[in-house]
Amino acid sequence: MLGSGQGLSTVLLAVLTIALTVAAVRLAAQGGRPLLEVLWPTRAALLTLLAGLLLLFAAGQGRELIDGLDAAPWAHLAWFALALLYWSFQCWHWSRVELYLAFGTDRAAWGERAGLILHLPRLYGVAVHVMALLAIIWSAWATRPGVAVLAPIAAVLVSVTFFLLLVSRRLALLDALEQKGLATGPVARALTTRPIRPGEPLRRALGALAPLSRLVLAGSLAFFALNAALGGLWPVETGARHGSAAIAFGGLGSWVAILSILALASRAFRFPVLASLVLARIVTGLLVDEHPVRSDPTSAWGGPAADPRPTLAAEVGRWKAAVAPDGEAPVPLVLVATAGGGLRAAWWTAAALAGLIERHPGLERHIVAVSGVSGGSLGAAVVAACLAREQERARTRAPFDRAGVGACARGVLANDFLAPTLVAFLYTDVLPPALTEPLGLGGRAAALENAWAAAFDRLPGRPLRSDGSWHNPLAGPLLGLGDDAAGWLPILFLNATHEERGRRVVASRVRIDQPAFLDVWDLHRLMGRDLWTVTVVHNSARFTFVSPAGLVRGPAPESLPRGHLLDGGYFENFGAVTLLEALRGIRDGLEDPDRFLPIVIQITSDPELEGHDIVTDGACSEPEPLPFGADDARSPWTLANEALAPLAGLLATREARGLLAVRELARAVRCAPLPTGAPEPAFVHLAMCGMGARRPALGWVLDSRSREAIDGLLDPEGCNGSELAELDRALGAAPPAPAARDQP
């Protein structure tokens, strides 16, 4: 369905495209060949502008670059303004250089091209700021930041003012320096370009450029090399210092210079330098698989028989022994499925679980399993890590602080995780492995994983273990998340998709065995060793292009390739299929299943999911026919349906398959046979509903207003009120039992 946020982006992109097309047609009609002759030398600047246009208005994740600026620190706003100035300066400077080299410096010889040659570089620089301003307006339309939007707008205005002063008053400044006698000799020669004739040999023409231009060339190369090193060695620190918007726009500015320099090198050496480098990079990408899934090399085991993990039945038995001593009182058995959706899904998952834990004391001990996809996997893993943190703290300072779980999760997820990914993507991942690996430079996959772990490390008041050590559960192995005696942690089922075969690949601290789990691969068994928690989360959340497909290698010493992992949402975005299998496996493994009251919570994070797409099945009964509404016939692809119908059908089928899985999960819960007098099980769907025109971005940074709006989704008087009441009913019939040491 086409929501207001996506609709506005489509309209903006369409308007910009039409305006540019009309302008191009008019100029072509008036100038014809002269227009193309002027545009071609400036293609580097033009390409980055088109890339920025597509990034900001066509890509689903592009808006997130701007979303976080409403509450960004002043340092990030300053870096954002400097990045805009840098990009616009590079567009203007290298366009002027290329035009001088192509047409000379004598304006009289430019002829009918004079207006274009004179004004086009400036228009490029202004276009950078216009795009940024339109992106801020679009972001404000979707996120409703209020007066906070004035801060990034002010940054754009400051940048464009400096740019216009630079390009329009530089000659006046040079004249003033000459009148004061300060622009003579070496100073004048550094600031002025000697005459260049049209068609003059390139090497001689380059020598006629002002030394300042050659200094810009050297500085641009040094700036790119510096950022490649920072992106490979310290992407997390670099991203935290500058913010994602500054890194993206500054990176586009760097690529204006790099593309221009390589184009000049191709002409100077009469050899296709740029084309050769691009071809070599493509070939190395085909020959070398650059993004292996990271794992713990110390945890390898010698074959399936040595797998140290328990079965699902054994782990559920451990939970039962801890929370359900002998008796007849019903015991809540809570299972959670949480959908993908980037950082908004992670935030909503964490807010929902932490909020319910705070509202229902002891509930954390009854959440047996969580099946997560993409951003939902991140939220579930962060809540598990925060539970472990508070359990460790409660060992020495009882009681258990349930409010601290939510504060911990918010402290982790309020960070900008896009920035470190971008700095590695723009500067490091474009380099060949033969260069990056010897230098120890990591790529964007490692940058994102390390950013999640670093966010947990930055939390204040870190509790220490009894031996005085500090443990970061996100940075540690997945099998260590739940084996601590401090308390029960839910079993995580984190879903990824196998690229080559399309099947689910699930990672968990229990074995993914049949008959409970069908047609699925166990990631730990594929690799024969444990993985870091952040890596397992990332395998479930490998967004298209934002994260690369991860290469799976089998057990050592052969370490044979076993395919690649993609985002779990490719197969099914709600986590419902895996949770349904886990529910059946848990029921079959319990000796007294009638004593346990199943409570299944489905968390979805799509604000455009509404109407009959929000599954809220009540009592088990014959399902009514699926209604058909006006929105069911609406599509953003209508204008190009002839060409895009297959792609539209594939994307819609993916979502429909997930909704079907949720309905099957709901009916499996509500329609299971009940013993006489037993309370009814519960299926609770917590949706990202009632958001109005607000559309939180789908990516790795989330603005403060969207975080506040998502937190409000647990309001009993809000759109999830009836679902929360259903949960209250079930927990009233089977109350959770806090641990004795957690009592105040």
Side-chain angles (χ1 to χ4, degrees):
M1 290 178 288
L2 181 64
S4 59
Q6 184 182 359
L8 181 60
S9 68
T10 304
V11 171
L12 281 174
L13 183 61
V15 170
L16 287 171
T17 303
I18 293 172
L20 290 173
T21 303
V22 171
V25 170
R26 291 188 61 184
L27 287 172
Q30 296 173 3
R33 184 172 178 177
L35 171 65
L36 298 178
E37 291 177 344
V38 173
L39 286 177
W40 180 249
T42 65
R43 58 192 178 277
L46 184 59
L47 284 173
T48 63
L49 287 170
L50 291 175
L53 186 68
L54 292 173
L55 174 66
L56 291 172
F57 299 105
Q61 292 84 17
R63 200 194 77 218
E64 67 192 74
L65 292 172
I66 304 298
D67 282 357
L69 289 175
D70 67 301
W74 285 106
H76 282 191
L77 291 172
W79 283 116
F80 171 58
L82 287 173
L84 288 176
L85 183 60
Y86 181 72
W87 185 14
S88 59
F89 170 79
Q90 294 284 20
C91 287
W92 168 77
H93 175 267
W94 288 106
S95 297
R96 288 180 69 247
V97 168
E98 291 280 12
L99 290 172
Y100 281 169
L101 295 176
F103 301 106
T105 55
D106 184 6
R107 296 187 182 185
W110 292 349
E112 59 184 341
R113 310 182 191 91
L116 284 171
I117 294 174
L118 185 63
H119 296 295
L120 187 61
R122 300 182 184 184
L123 288 176
Y124 284 158
V126 172
V128 168
H129 296 90
V130 171
M131 278 199 303
L133 193 61
L134 289 175
I136 291 171
I137 294 173
W138 176 36
S139 172
W141 180 273
T143 61
R144 300 295 196 267
V147 295
V149 74
L150 297 178
I153 289 177
V156 174
L157 295 179
V158 169
S159 177
V160 74
T161 300
F162 272 97
F163 171 74
L164 293 176
L165 287 174
L166 174 67
V167 301
S168 63
R169 304 303 299 171
R170 70 189 190 285
L171 296 179
L173 176 62
L174 184 59
D175 291 340
L177 291 174
E178 288 177 346
Q179 292 175 6
K180 296 180 178 293
L182 299 176
T184 59
V187 176
R189 288 194 296 272
L191 296 175
T192 56
T193 296
R194 299 197 305 274
I196 299 175
R197 297 189 303 273
E200 188 171 354
L202 180 61
R203 295 191 182 185
R204 185 182 304 171
L206 288 173
L209 292 174
L212 186 61
S213 292
R214 296 197 289 273
L215 182 62
V216 170
L217 185 152
S220 299
L221 290 175
F223 183 79
F224 188 91
L226 173 64
N227 280 284
L230 294 174
L233 296 173
W234 303 286
V236 177
E237 296 81 357
T238 304
R241 184 177 302 113
H242 300 101
S244 54
I247 288 172
F249 293 130
L252 289 170
S254 291
W255 277 102
V256 174
I258 294 300
L259 293 174
S260 299
I261 292 169
L262 292 176
L264 289 176
S266 299
R267 292 166 55 191
F269 295 106
R270 298 184 179 180
F271 180 79
V273 176
L274 177 58
S276 299
L277 289 175
V278 172
L279 180 61
R281 186 66 184 88
I282 293 174
V283 170
T284 57
L286 294 174
L287 297 178
V288 181
D289 212 316
E290 305 166 26
H291 302 285
V293 173
R294 300 196 300 173
S295 61
D296 180 3
T298 66
S299 66
W301 54 75
D307 189 341
R309 298 173 299 162
T311 63
L312 176 60
E315 191 70 353
V316 172
R318 186 170 77 89
W319 165 78
K320 177 185 173 184
V323 304
D326 295 337
E328 298 183 357
V331 177
L333 189 155
V334 181
L335 304 173
V336 180
T338 178
L343 196 54
R344 74 185 184 198
W347 189 276
W348 175 217
T349 299
L353 293 179
L356 294 178
I357 288 171
E358 186 174 0
R359 183 176 300 179
H360 300 282
L363 181 64
E364 69 280 355
R365 304 176 69 233
H366 293 268
I367 301 177
V368 177
V370 181
S371 172
V373 176
S374 195
S377 293
L378 175 60
V382 167
V383 169
C386 289
L387 278 170
R389 178 180 189 263
E390 295 306 320
Q391 288 170 356
E392 191 67 41
R393 189 196 303 274
R395 278 181 167 182
T396 56
R397 193 175 64 193
F400 177 78
D401 183 10
R402 291 180 178 80
V405 176
C408 166
R410 287 190 291 272
V412 173
L413 296 175
N415 286 269
D416 179 353
F417 300 120
L418 180 63
T421 310
L422 275 177
V423 71
F425 176 72
L426 289 170
Y427 296 103
T428 308
D429 275 357
V430 296
L431 301 175
L435 179 60
T436 58
E437 290 181 1
L439 296 176
L441 303 181
R444 64 190 188 276
L448 181 58
E449 294 170 15
N450 292 339
W452 291 333
F456 195 90
D457 267 334
R458 287 195 293 267
L459 290 172
R462 303 189 301 184
L464 300 179
R465 287 177 163 178
S466 56
D467 61 1
S469 65
W470 158 246
H471 172 56
N472 183 337
L474 292 180
L478 179 68
L479 301 192
L481 192 61
D483 66 350
D484 199 307
W488 171 259
L489 293 177
I491 305 168
L492 298 182
F493 296 100
L494 304 184
N495 299 269
T497 303
H498 195 268
E499 175 191 334
E500 287 78 4
R501 302 298 295 167
R503 288 186 171 91
R504 286 173 298 151
V505 179
V506 178
S508 178
R509 73 170 189 255
V510 301
R511 300 178 185 183
I512 307 299
D513 289 328
Q514 296 189 14
F517 300 96
L518 301 176
D519 203 41
V520 58
W521 278 311
D522 183 332
L523 180 58
H524 284 79
R525 189 166 294 171
L526 285 179
M527 301 187 69
R529 53 193 177 274
D530 198 4
L531 299 88
W532 314 120
T533 301
V534 289
T535 301
V536 176
V537 171
H538 188 207
N539 291 335
S540 179
R542 290 181 179 268
F543 286 2
T544 308
F545 302 121
V546 175
S547 292
L551 171 67
V552 177
R553 289 197 175 276
E558 296 85 0
S559 298
L560 298 176
R562 294 195 164 183
H564 297 80
L565 298 182
L566 300 173
D567 191 290
Y570 279 81
F571 182 89
E572 187 262 297
N573 197 43
F574 295 89
V577 170
T578 299
L579 193 72
L580 177 57
E581 293 177 335
L583 171 62
R584 291 169 176 164
I586 291 170
R587 278 176 169 168
D588 293 342
L590 288 172
E591 296 178 355
D592 49 351
D594 291 345
R595 188 183 166 202
F596 295 87
L597 178 65
I599 301 174
V600 172
I601 302 173
Q602 175 72 61
I603 302 173
T604 57
S605 303
D606 185 354
E608 297 180 9
L609 201 67
E610 54 189 17
H612 53 264
D613 288 338
I614 297 181
V615 181
T616 56
D617 287 3
C620 182
S621 59
E622 290 297 323
E624 298 180 357
L626 185 68
F628 189 91
D631 287 345
D632 292 313
R634 188 175 301 151
S635 169
W637 313 91
T638 302
L639 296 178
N641 195 61
E642 186 71 21
L644 298 177
L647 177 60
L650 286 173
L651 294 175
T653 301
R654 164 184 163 273
E655 180 173 315
R657 206 164 44 231
L659 291 172
L660 174 60
V662 175
R663 294 186 190 280
E664 290 176 338
L665 176 61
R667 290 192 64 78
V669 174
R670 299 308 301 264
C671 298
L674 294 177
T676 304
E680 289 189 0
F683 176 83
V684 176
H685 188 165
L686 299 179
M688 191 172 284
C689 51
M691 302 292 283
R694 182 180 299 279
R695 289 295 180 264
L698 181 69
W700 292 126
V701 63
L702 192 64
D703 66 285
S704 59
R705 296 301 181 94
S706 292
R707 296 197 297 263
E708 294 172 2
I710 293 172
D711 287 340
L713 294 176
L714 281 185
D715 184 353
E717 302 300 322
C719 60
N720 284 312
S722 60
E723 299 300 294
L724 294 172
E726 171 67 4
L727 180 61
D728 291 342
R729 176 201 64 79
L731 292 177
R741 72 177 183 187
D742 296 340
Q743 300 290 350

